[in-house]
Amino acid sequence: MTTDTIDPSEIAKFEAMAAEWWDPAGKFKPLHMMNPVRLDYSTGQIAAEFDRDLSQSKPFEGLHILDIGCGGGLLCEPMARLGATVVGVDAAPRNIPVAKIHAEQSGLDIDYRVGTAEAMAAAGEQFDVVLNMEVVEHVADPLGYLTACQQLLKPGGLHLCSTINRNPKSFAMAIVGAEYVMRWLPKGTHEWNKFITPDELFALLEQAGLTPVDRKGYVFNFLSFTWGMSDRDLSVNYVTAATKP
């Protein structure tokens, strides 16, 4: 594999948790809780960009979607159910067998691979959509990684990228709260200095050759214990959409 942006210590963290991907009460509980809003945003952006009707049974039929850093396949499986041809890639080798077994049990045909964005870009692969969720804060070289993601898009393609803002609130919520107080994640899962502000991410996307078109916040409601979307509050978790000219 091309490993220009891979951080081995980050891969090791997720390798250690691989078997728990599909346990909604396990170490990936935060992603299971967040997944409905991630999915709503992603499907809405894809439908708008490619003029697809989400009320149809297979609205994404004919679209080739890559989920880079796919983990156990939490986004790959719903995309496949919507009719897309899906490739899921992860640099942590232990994640892929978990994803493959769950897809087979679910009756889904998903192309899961161990690999990197850089290696796929070097091989000339391209997709209509690249899903890049909660990965950029774990790589060694964000610009190099995003440039590889841009190369993986066809002209007119859509790149969706979510990550965590860098400010005192994100330290309190994503690290102290999630790792030490709620114990949703193992201690050390995130490094605050690797978090990226929305403005920094937009600048990186532009440097990588993409055109940012949208950004929204994921906001956790402690009263209802659910996630929602916000146009204004990007203070902790947020997602961006960008296109390739």
Side-chain angles (χ1 to χ4, degrees), residues 153-174:
L153 278 175
K154 299 175 183 177
L158 177 67
H159 177 265
L160 301 176
C161 179
S162 61
T163 189
I164 306 175
N165 202 341
R166 188 182 69 256
N167 54 41
K169 183 178 179 180
S170 70
F171 182 84
M173 298 285 287

Side-chain angles (χ1 to χ4, degrees), residues 18-31:
E20 299 197 46
W21 270 105
W22 288 96
D23 179 0
K27 290 185 174 70
F28 292 101
K29 181 178 179 178
L31 278 183

Side-chain angles (χ1 to χ4, degrees), residues 78-92:
M79 292 298 167
R81 289 191 181 94
L82 290 169
T85 300
V86 180
V87 176
V89 175
D90 204 288

Side-chain angles (χ1 to χ4, degrees), residues 12-196:
K13 293 175 188 176
F14 291 94
E15 284 267 88
M17 299 186 285
E20 299 197 46
W21 270 105
W22 288 96
D23 179 0
K27 290 185 174 70
F28 292 101
K29 181 178 179 178
L31 278 183
H32 282 273
M33 295 173 67
M34 187 186 289
N35 214 42
V37 294
R38 293 198 312 168
L39 187 59
D40 283 350
Y41 183 82
S42 299
T43 55
Q45 289 291 321
I46 294 168
E49 188 67 29
F50 296 96
D51 194 23
R52 300 302 176 98
D53 183 355
L54 289 173
S55 68
Q56 300 298 311
S57 61
K58 299 285 185 181
F60 292 169
E61 198 162 25
L63 292 179
H64 201 194
I65 295 179
L66 170 66
D67 185 3
I68 192 75
C70 65
L74 299 187
L75 282 175
C76 289
E77 292 200 6
M79 292 298 167
R81 289 191 181 94
L82 290 169
T85 300
V86 180
V87 176
V89 175
D90 204 288
R94 287 180 61 193
N95 286 340
I96 296 304
V98 174
K100 284 183 175 180
I101 290 169
H102 198 274
E104 289 169 4
Q105 293 172 340
S106 302
L108 297 171
D109 182 14
I110 298 171
D111 180 2
Y112 282 118
R113 314 175 195 172
V114 178
T116 65
E118 292 83 2
M120 295 184 71
E125 296 195 63
Q126 287 195 317
F127 300 84
D128 298 296
V129 179
V130 171
L131 302 176
N132 177 10
M133 303 301 197
E134 291 79 46
V135 178
V136 71
E137 72 270 23
H138 296 288
V139 302
D141 175 8
L143 178 57
Y145 170 68
L146 291 171
T147 299
C149 291
Q150 183 266 356
Q151 293 167 349
L152 286 165
L153 278 175
K154 299 175 183 177
L158 177 67
H159 177 265
L160 301 176
C161 179
S162 61
T163 189
I164 306 175
N165 202 341
R166 188 182 69 256
N167 54 41
K169 183 178 179 180
S170 70
F171 182 84
M173 298 285 287
I175 295 180
V176 176
E179 297 181 16
Y180 289 83
V181 178
M182 303 301 292
R183 297 186 179 180
W184 284 340
L185 294 168
K187 295 174 184 177
T189 297
H190 290 113
E191 296 179 34
W192 184 80
N193 63 348
K194 287 189 173 183
F195 291 171
I196 301 170

